[in-house]
Amino acid sequence: NHVNPAMDFTQTPPGMLALDNMLYFAKHHQDAYIRIVLENSSREDKHECPFGRSSIELTKMLCEILKVGELPSETCNDFHPMFFTHDRSFEEFFCICIQLLNKTWKEMRATSEDFNKARKRVMQVVKEQIMRALTTKPSSLDQFKSKLQNLSYTEILKIRQSERMNQEDFQSRPILELKEKIQPEILELIKQQRLNRLVEGTCFRKLNSRRRQDKFWYCRLSPNHKVLHYGDLEESPQGEVPHDSLQDKLPVADIKAIVTGKDCPHMKEKGALKQNKEVLELAFSILYDSSGQLNFIAPDKHEYCVWTDGLNALLGKDMLSDLTRNDLDTLLSMEIKLRLLDLENIQIPDAPPPIPKEPSNYDFVYDCN
């Protein structure tokens, strides 16, 4: 906005964070800042990368990647140690990425004439470069920077081409037919694993009227898969709880339905709208008889998927959780690769090879640190 530049920072995210990043870059990385600004202001070939607009878009993208501005998630497992190595780690992160964006813009020969189209293409590549570098869990910002140096636009194109070729191999008709043939076996394997976990049982927390999570109860499936045993506990148990110590029983044959999230009776109570979103995503209930219900809040997303899958399997329904989809993709891919191996005239042993003895010394070990 040439009339009132302050209007450029009204959208949140990124809001004023984009301006803070630009100012930090200009103050603390002056040489790089001057180089980028002069480089793009003196170009006459319409390939200049507008610093202000790019900074705002980049800050917005970094907020999306790192979920800045969102509520903390108790079930998220992402951990990036490099952000604990600097007092102003987000600003430094931006400084590395704005230089990457400028470099990728040049490599893609994007033009500022149609900024919106160019931005979309360039930002997609920059996001992929950042995400691929982050998945390696660099321990420092310098390490992150060096990872990015190996992920030029040309390298990203090569990676995409390689992934596309691998994907095409697995989309051929014979492979799809093989997938279809072995998928029921894999699903049965997943089903057995889920039921075995239900037999082991899980400790759940109880929510009392004041919504305080201070009581425990345990639920497990009988080995013959016909009865659910459950009962209250004084404290969180260490290991499995035996069936005979669980007072209550629910025959699987009496179960009418499994409901999740907002459909659960204990999520419809007064104040349900104030419920933590995390709790809502972990809630499920067993409905039995005319009005009987057994209400659960899983300790984490993994246990939620295991129990909802297992209960659906008991009722003869499909297992639809994200965990099942991931397990199916992983096991199916692994099984197909194994079956496609050229193993003719190769004897596969029944027992695994013996573990070799420890070496007399470890002088050959190179300490990377």
Side-chain angles (χ1 to χ4, degrees):
N1 191 316
H2 298 292
V3 180
N4 185 3
M7 297 299 292
D8 293 338
F9 306 99
T10 52
Q11 185 187 358
T12 54
M16 292 299 288
L17 183 58
L19 185 59
D20 289 342
N21 284 338
M22 292 159 70
L23 189 60
Y24 181 91
F25 182 51
K27 279 185 176 180
H28 294 85
H29 297 269
Q30 203 170 42
D31 291 345
Y33 168 73
I34 291 170
R35 178 176 53 79
I36 286 177
V37 172
L38 288 180
E39 196 176 87
N40 289 294
S41 60
S42 59
R43 294 187 72 139
E44 296 179 358
D45 55 3
K46 297 179 183 176
H47 290 292
E48 73 273 8
C49 175
F51 176 70
R53 296 174 79 176
S54 299
S55 297
I56 293 168
E57 289 297 327
L58 178 63
T59 304
K60 186 179 178 182
M61 187 177 74
L62 297 183
C63 287
E64 287 173 8
I65 292 172
L66 298 176
K67 296 181 171 50
V68 174
E70 294 183 24
L71 289 172
S73 168
E74 291 177 11
T75 55
C76 183
N77 295 319
D78 286 341
F79 176 70
H80 299 290
M82 71 176 191
F83 289 107
F84 296 88
T85 61
H86 200 284
D87 290 340
R88 305 289 296 274
S89 55
F90 186 81
E91 289 88 343
E92 287 291 329
F93 184 49
F94 168 84
C95 294
I96 294 169
C97 294
I98 192 68
Q99 293 177 75
L100 168 74
L101 193 156
N102 188 64
K103 176 172 168 278
T104 304
W105 183 284
K106 285 192 292 183
E107 289 174 347
M108 294 179 70
R109 297 193 61 77
T111 60
S112 58
E113 273 194 337
D114 193 353
F115 180 78
N116 288 332
K117 280 186 182 177
R119 178 203 67 190
K120 195 172 180 181
R121 287 189 302 112
V122 175
M123 283 299 180
Q124 280 177 345
V125 175
V126 171
K127 186 173 184 177
E128 188 174 341
Q129 289 169 315
I130 294 169
M131 293 297 286
R132 286 185 183 277
L134 284 177
T135 53
T136 63
K137 303 290 180 191
S139 57
S140 67
L141 289 159
D142 288 337
Q143 206 175 71
F144 172 71
K145 194 173 182 179
S146 66
K147 295 280 183 190
L148 288 177
Q149 286 172 353
N150 298 325
L151 287 168
S152 63
Y153 175 55
T154 309
E155 187 60 29
I156 290 291
L157 289 179
K158 285 180 185 174
I159 293 170
R160 285 179 176 177
Q161 178 68 17
S162 172
E163 288 177 350
R164 198 178 298 120
M165 285 175 68
N166 288 336
Q167 196 174 9
E168 284 168 2
D169 288 343
F170 280 91
Q171 295 303 316
S172 61
R173 189 175 171 184
I175 298 295
L176 291 174
E177 287 176 0
L178 180 60
K179 266 187 180 181
E180 203 174 310
K181 184 181 175 183
I182 63 179
Q183 186 165 316
E185 300 172 28
I186 303 294
L187 281 171
E188 183 60 30
L189 187 69
I190 294 169
K191 176 183 170 183
Q192 290 307 317
Q193 188 272 338
R194 301 292 191 265
L195 294 176
N196 288 342
R197 280 289 295 109
L198 264 61
V199 170
E200 289 174 19
T202 302
C203 177
F204 297 94
R205 287 183 180 271
K206 269 193 171 183
L207 282 183
N208 61 22
S209 56
R210 294 183 180 179
R211 302 288 178 200
R212 286 178 57 203
Q213 297 185 357
D214 53 3
K215 289 186 178 180
F216 300 92
W217 68 290
Y218 200 88
C219 187
R220 62 182 299 183
L221 181 66
S222 62
N224 62 7
H225 300 171
K226 291 186 177 180
V227 180
L228 281 172
H229 297 263
Y230 61 96
D232 293 344
L233 300 174
E234 290 299 322
E235 57 184 5
S236 183
Q238 301 297 320
E240 290 182 24
V241 175
H243 292 100
D244 49 17
S245 66
L246 301 171
Q247 311 89 346
D248 302 301
K249 295 179 183 180
L250 172 62
V252 172
D254 291 348
I255 298 175
K256 304 296 181 190
I258 310 297
V259 291
T260 60
K262 292 179 182 178
D263 297 326
C264 296
H266 58 317
M267 294 292 110
K268 292 180 179 178
E269 295 169 9
K270 189 178 179 183
L273 293 175
K274 296 176 184 175
Q275 275 283 354
N276 187 324
K277 188 185 174 186
E278 300 288 336
V279 173
L280 200 63
E281 289 177 352
L282 300 176
F284 62 98
S285 297
I286 295 174
L287 307 182
Y288 60 94
D289 294 339
S290 56
S291 59
Q293 61 196 44
L294 200 55
N295 299 319
F296 299 76
I297 292 172
D300 53 49
K301 191 68 177 175
H302 183 270
E303 285 296 313
Y304 169 84
C305 292
V306 165
W307 272 85
T308 51
D309 281 345
L311 292 169
N312 279 319
L314 282 174
L315 299 180
K317 296 181 179 178
D318 292 336
M319 300 178 291
L320 302 172
S321 74
D322 293 339
L323 184 63
T324 292
R325 279 197 293 274
N326 291 338
D327 287 352
L328 181 62
D329 288 344
T330 303
L331 293 170
L332 208 51
S333 173
M334 196 185 301
E335 184 67 22
I336 284 173
K337 285 173 183 174
L338 284 171
R339 294 198 183 196
L340 293 177
L341 285 174
D342 185 11
L343 298 176
E344 194 174 347
N345 300 323
I346 296 176
Q347 190 67 32
I348 301 174
D350 295 326
I355 298 171
K357 291 179 181 178
E358 285 196 24
S360 56
N361 63 66
Y362 288 89
D363 295 343
F364 57 88
V365 175
Y366 177 73
D367 187 357
C368 297
N369 298 323

